[in-house]
Amino acid sequence: MKKFLVLYRAPASSFEQMQKATPEQQKAGMETWMAWSRSAAASIVDLGAPLGKSLRVTKGGASPAANDLGGFSILQAESKEALAEALKGHPHFMMPDGSIEVIELMPMPGA
């Protein structure tokens, strides 16, 4: 099985809307994610977590950076295409303009 970094993306306005959700709405959202995680248990290596604000570090220093990342997971599947199929109906798609990026984690050369 191959491992993949899965990035949950959406516009900042979608994440702001999510932060304004009532406790009941937040609970319902988490229940949806937990139901998905039970159905996808064989694919989950690390369910992941939400992501905070970015800091871009260069040789010249560090500065705040904006991005559209809301969270990550580490999942496994035979291929990116197989994983994409398994992600159909994922609860992240309830988020307006939400998308999921799938990136294969490659083995370290010489390791």
Side-chain angles (χ1 to χ4, degrees):
M1 288 270 208
K2 297 177 180 179
K3 291 182 183 175
F4 300 91
L5 173 62
V6 176
L7 298 173
Y8 303 106
R9 296 182 173 274
S13 59
S14 295
F15 293 118
E16 290 165 6
Q17 180 182 349
M18 185 179 71
Q19 290 174 341
K20 294 177 184 175
T22 66
E24 294 80 18
Q25 291 169 323
Q26 290 175 0
K27 182 179 178 194
M30 281 309 301
E31 287 172 356
T32 303
W33 269 82
M34 293 298 99
W36 174 82
S37 71
R38 287 188 295 275
S39 69
S43 297
I44 297 172
V45 175
D46 182 342
L47 187 55
L51 297 172
K53 294 186 179 188
S54 295
L55 184 68
R56 179 167 287 124
V57 180
T58 67
K59 63 182 177 181
S63 61
N67 66 53
D68 63 351
L69 299 174
F72 79 97
S73 295
I74 306 290
L75 303 179
Q76 63 184 1
E78 293 298 326
S79 67
K80 287 184 290 209
E81 295 76 18
L83 186 55
E85 191 64 29
L87 289 169
K88 285 184 178 177
H90 190 282
H92 181 68
F93 295 126
M94 292 187 304
M95 188 168 265
D97 297 319
S99 65
I100 299 175
E101 192 165 333
V102 176
I103 305 162
E104 186 173 351
L105 298 173
M106 305 300 289
M108 288 291 285

